[in-house]
Structures are given as structure tokens and as C-alpha cells.
Amino acid sequence: MKRLGVFLGFTPKQLAPHEGISRLIAFIVKGAVQSKGISVTIAGPSWLKGEIIALLEDAGIDRKSVDIVTTASEPYIVKIWRLWAYLRASPDKPRPRRFRLKRLLKKSLYLVVSWLSTTSTVLFVLGAFLLAALAIAFAVPGIVVALSLAAVFLAKRGSGRVMRHPLAYRLLRKYRATKKRAIVAMGIVDRVREAELSRLIRKLNRRKGIDVWYVPSMFWPEVAALDGRVVMAAPDIVFYEHPAQYTGEDFEGSLERITASLAAADHLISYSDYVKQHHIVEQQGIPADRVSVIRHGIIDTRDIEGDKGSKEGALDVLHGYLDEKKNVLPEYLDGFRFDDVPFLFYSSQVRPHKNIEGLVAAYEKILREHYRPIKLVLTAKIAGNERIRDFIADRGLQRDVISLPSVPNPVLAALYRLAALSVTPTMFEGGFPFTFSEAYSVGTPSVMSRIPAVSEVILDEKLLDLMTFDPRNRKDMLSKILWGLDNREALFQAQRPLFEILSARTWSKVADEYLDLMRSVEAT
């Protein structure tokens, strides 16, 4: 195999450089780049180009060593979406609205004065036409807004009586329930992605030359049209484990896309024997010889720290980050110091099966029933999840559960080093969690869920019992966290043999396994 392609079909903002799937892609690309005689192409829609470059930079991969191929330009609907997202986003340095309006009026007045100051007849006439056009353009919206405000004012007086009617209440409740899912229900995202991926694949097929395509997701059935062999990652199909948590319009059609994608692949890669057997072979009916298990390598967080590999260095990195983001993080974190603040740490996105609510419930008991002065730090974006946000607010834990979403790798390393204990409460993972080696490599022990991907790797029954808990049993989780806090050094020493075993599995070896598999697929 001389030419390896990596095909990415993520939607805008979906490929964050600091998340697990991005790091996995980076490790494989780095391994291929370092292998002699293999050229690497990364292909994706035009909207991913910035994210691809950020991924390479974050992983320390020379941009020139990889050929990036994207579609020519973004669809207008994506450009409109970006503009809308930009206008809605909170600026790093928010200013009161009255000052923004004042500056806008000042600039407008300056333009008018400049226009009136001209001696050019052509410019004066053009300016007059422009002002007339603007007056007409804003006249109709102005009338509509005025009439709407008047209607709201008149309706407000009788709205209470109207909304108490059962039919009106049901209609309002139905509207609220469907409002957030309108775009998904219309299938806009799917249509845009399908059209763009089809354009991308036509472009790639005209270029030719890729022997094997690595596809890191099971959600792009369009890859069936790619020239060349397709090796696809099949991390897990979590619907089979927690069907009740993945329902509704948000997930409608997902299983169908997964099934079509798996059928389009020549070979599949899973990260655990459990997923291969129970999700891919038994549920999807794919022959076992078309599925290989390649476990993840170790993530040594010391590589990220560099010369900041100490508690003092970690504090400097974390405090510098908090200061840099003080205008977008909660106000109570402005000036907050972690020097003598112990905290539990869980690095994860918000997903239904990640069991964040279970961890928060156990943490509340640690804080209020066991009187431990400790914080809980999460990398999950709590502000964007109403259910978890309300769960925390109802318990009055807004200042105790600290959310630092999408932190850069150096900050993630600092959090792991400073944590009293790493806790991984997930209900399910497709592979052994990265969190263990990320934490242990910088001196922090872990407790985690006893799930198939974990018990496959931890073969020492005593260690398994010592460091894992039933994620569905919050008492068991609470007990293991408390024991870990009270016996931190003993737990750390007990986990040393496990870390040494995992350390032998470097990402260089993992990349070699991926490349060997792709060579064998190409040869068949």
C-alpha cells in the first residue's frame, strides 16, 4: 500500500481537535506519515478544512506532509449558518448593547457626513439612490414590527384567559416540544451532507490513486461510491446497549445509516471483542472474518505537558487558561485558584450513556453527607444540556460542579495532574477508556465503570474489584470514589502493573497494526 486516504464526512463544528475521535485519527495519520513509502491524503467537505488543519497542528503533524482534499467551496446554506452562529455567539469581551448601538449610530452618521462632504455629482447621486433603497427596504419590516408590537400589547391583556384553555395549552406544549428538533425533523443536515459528500467523492474518484480509504465513522453510507478499498471503524452501536436513551427525532434514521455504512465497507475495525461479537456479528449479521479488533494504544499525558510536567507548571497552565477565558466562563471562576482545591475529574462529552447525572448524584453525597471539601470538574458542556444543567441547579451545585468544555490538550493534561482522582462512570464504551492512562501517566489514579471493554483488559480480578464499580449502582460508585480518595497512594501503586502492560502498546504499534490490516485488505 503506497497511498492511504482518510475520509471525513463530519458536519460543521463536529470535528473538534481535542476530542477522542480526532486524537485517534491523528495517531493513525502520524503513524502513516512516519512510515516510509506511504503518502497520506485527508479528504472532507470544504467546511472541514479549518478543522483538519487544526487537528494536524494539535497533533504536531507537519501540514506539508499530508495532502488535504476538499470540495471547492462551502454551500451557501453553510455560509448562512456560520454567519448566524457568529451573530449569536457571545464575544470574548461582551459589551452592553447600548454601547454597540451607539457605535453603530456613530459609524452611520460618519458615513452620511462623508457622503454629504463629497464634491462628486456621481457619488452624491449614488448615495441618494442607496439611501432611498435602504429607506424602502427598512420601511416594510418597520411597519411589520410596529404592528406586531401593537398586537402583542393588545393580546397580552387577554392572553392569560386564553392560555388557560386546555386546547391552547396542548398546542403550546406541542410547539415547545418540537421547536428544537425542527431542523433535524426536516432532514436539512442530512440533505446538505449527502450532497456535499457526493461532490467530494466524484472529485476524489477523478483524482484516483488511493489504494485504501480509512473511514473513522459508521454514519457515511456515501463511501460505497469511493474507488479503492474501504476500511471502516466500527467503535460501537450504542443503541443496542441503551435503546431507551436514544429515541426521538434526533436519532431517527441513525441505525439505518449505520447499517448502510457497514455494508459499504470491505473490512471493519472494532476496539473490543464485545462490540465485534455482540454489535457487529450478532446484531448486524456481518461475518466475523470481516471484522478485526485493534485495541487503542496508551495516551501518555506527559508527552503533552512538555516542560510543564509538575504541579506548579500545571497550575500555571490552568490559571492562564481561566484568565484567558474569563469573559466566556462563569463569573465565579474569574480569579478562582486551584492551588489547594482538591477535585474529582471526568473528561467526556455529553452523551446519554456517559452517566454524568449518576456521577453528580454520587458527588453530592460526598460533598454533603460525607463532608468532603472537594469539587467536581467536567469537560462536558453542561450549559448546552438542559437536563443535566437543571439536575445540577436543583441541587444547588452550580459552583461545585465546574464545566470546562473543549479545553486544549495542555489544559487537559494540567487537569489530570491536579485531580485528586479520575472518575469514569460511563455505562458503556466501545474500547478501554483513554481516561485511565491519561490520568495515571501524570500521577493520578482512577476508578471506573465495570463494563465489558474494561473487564476484557483488566484480567486481575483483585484489581478489577478494587478500581471498578457497577455504573448502575450509585452506592457502589460512591463507595469506590470515597475509598480512592482515602487510599489514593495505595490505589496508584496497585494500578502500576496495569499501566506498565498498557504502556507496552504504543500508538506506533497500533498504527502499524492499522497499516498492516489495510495492506492485507488491499491485497484481497
Side-chain angles (χ1 to χ4, degrees), residues 184-316:
V184 177
M186 292 169 65
I188 293 175
V189 174
D190 289 341
R191 301 291 81 76
V192 173
R193 189 197 68 245
E194 288 170 6
E196 194 70 0
L197 292 189
S198 295
R199 281 192 286 271
L200 174 64
I201 289 171
R202 287 196 296 271
K203 180 176 182 178
L204 293 170
N205 288 344
R206 286 195 299 269
R207 289 168 54 100
K208 300 184 181 298
I210 301 298
D211 302 317
V212 179
W213 285 100
Y214 170 64
V215 182
S217 175
M218 303 178 290
F219 285 89
W220 311 319
E222 295 82 4
V223 299
L226 276 172
D227 289 342
R229 296 287 203 171
V230 173
V231 175
M232 182 178 293
D236 61 71
I237 306 176
V238 74
F239 311 115
Y240 294 145
E241 299 295 320
H242 303 281
Q245 292 180 321
Y246 288 89
T247 58
E249 288 88 344
D250 289 357
F251 303 101
E252 189 175 328
S254 294
L255 189 56
E256 288 78 5
R257 286 199 301 275
I258 288 173
T259 299
S261 298
L262 295 177
D266 296 286
H267 203 87
L268 301 170
I269 298 174
S270 293
Y271 311 141
S272 69
D273 295 321
Y274 181 89
V275 168
K276 172 183 175 177
Q277 183 61 33
H278 295 282
H279 291 190
I280 309 302
V281 175
E282 293 178 6
Q283 295 282 359
Q284 285 288 322
I286 292 175
D289 60 1
R290 278 186 54 206
V291 188
S292 297
V293 174
I294 300 180
R295 301 188 193 279
H296 294 317
I298 185 178
I299 295 183
D300 194 327
T301 312
R302 291 171 297 186
D303 297 337
I304 301 169
E305 287 186 314
D307 59 358
K308 297 289 185 180
S310 65
K311 181 178 180 180
E312 292 72 21
L315 286 169
D316 289 343

Side-chain angles (χ1 to χ4, degrees), residues 332 336 341-344 363-364 367-368 372-378 392 395-403:
Y332 67 83
F336 187 86
V341 178
F343 61 88
L344 303 173
Y363 166 71
E364 182 186 15
L367 186 68
R368 292 176 176 161
R372 305 296 180 92
I374 193 168
K375 300 286 186 182
L376 172 61
V377 178
L378 307 169
I392 291 171
R395 287 153 177 79
L397 296 171
Q398 299 95 319
R399 291 175 177 265
D400 297 300
V401 178
I402 299 172
S403 174

Side-chain angles (χ1 to χ4, degrees), residues 10 54 100 131 201 212 219 239 252 259 272 316-317 324 352 354 408 417 439 443 463 467 488 505 515 521:
F10 298 106
R100 294 202 295 268
L131 283 176
I201 289 171
V212 179
F219 285 89
F239 311 115
E252 189 175 328
T259 299
S272 69
D316 289 343
V317 169
E324 177 188 344
K354 294 296 186 177
R417 180 174 286 280
L463 180 60
M467 63 176 284
R488 190 175 186 274
R505 186 167 178 74
L515 296 174
V521 170

Side-chain angles (χ1 to χ4, degrees), residues 106-120:
K106 186 176 180 180
K107 289 181 178 180
S108 300
L109 182 60
Y110 175 80
L111 289 173
V112 171
V113 171
S114 298
W115 167 62
L116 291 174
S117 300
T118 184
T119 59
S120 170

